[in-house]
Amino acid sequence: MKIEFIAKNYEAKEKLKELYTKKIARLDKFFHDDIKIKVMLKKSGENFTTELTILLDGIILRTEVSGDNMFENIDIALPKLEKQIIKHRAKITDKSKKVSIKELEQSFIPELHGASSNKNGVVRSKTYQLTPMQTEDAISELELVGHSFFVFLNKLTNAVNIVYKRFDGGYGLIETVV
């Protein structure tokens, strides 16, 4: 298992990294391949945030926890991530399209362009290549990343679509026309 630590506005001590590495190692039982886990540690005011992201064969498993203490955050984040792994294990192992992690990082993971404000009010932007998929796959990805919407290239229509979570618990689909 490869663990990559990224810190923003926070200096991660070796003791914390060792603890996280030890606790994350228990996820090895779910995977037969060597996987990569990104651990993002952020501090905003008095709030500490831990974000765990696993990139695996075209699937992103992600959890984010905020609290008063980085040491406690891992104990809350790991069970959440384990639930996602168990829930989507069949999809992870049976997924027919195999995308290497390197291809996935190059084609799908957003490249952050930093937090800078301009006259239009945009404070952060992300860029990623659209992955062709069906609407059902996009809904699964939406659930995995935990966002309120997901942009994708519809495999059937070859058009950019957006799926979003509705307030009533269902999903909506926005289809674009050029």
Side-chain angles (χ1 to χ4, degrees), residues 75-87:
D75 292 329
I76 299 168
L78 274 178
K80 286 183 169 184
L81 196 56
E82 284 180 1
K83 284 181 186 176
Q84 284 186 25
I85 292 168
I86 292 166
K87 181 180 176 185

Side-chain angles (χ1 to χ4, degrees), residues 1 21-30 74-75 77-79 82:
M1 181 174 302
T21 302
K22 180 182 173 185
K23 291 196 176 205
I24 290 172
R26 74 181 195 198
L27 297 178
D28 268 342
K29 65 184 175 190
F30 293 110
I74 190 68
D75 292 329
L78 274 178
E82 284 180 1

Side-chain angles (χ1 to χ4, degrees), residues 26-42:
R26 74 181 195 198
L27 297 178
D28 268 342
K29 65 184 175 190
F30 293 110
F31 305 104
H32 59 277
D33 293 334
D34 198 23
I35 62 166
K36 181 177 179 181
I37 297 180
K38 287 188 179 183
V39 179
M40 174 81 72
L41 306 170
K42 297 185 271 189

Side-chain angles (χ1 to χ4, degrees), residues 117-155:
S117 61
N118 61 30
K119 62 183 177 185
N120 296 330
V122 176
V123 294
R124 184 176 176 186
S125 66
K126 294 182 179 183
T127 304
Y128 64 90
Q129 274 187 322
L130 297 175
T131 304
M133 62 179 66
Q134 294 181 355
T135 304
E136 295 79 21
D137 295 330
I139 290 171
S140 295
E141 291 291 328
L142 171 68
E143 290 174 356
L144 288 172
V145 296
H147 292 164
S148 57
F149 69 93
F150 184 79
V151 181
F152 69 102
L153 182 64
N154 192 318
K155 193 182 263 187

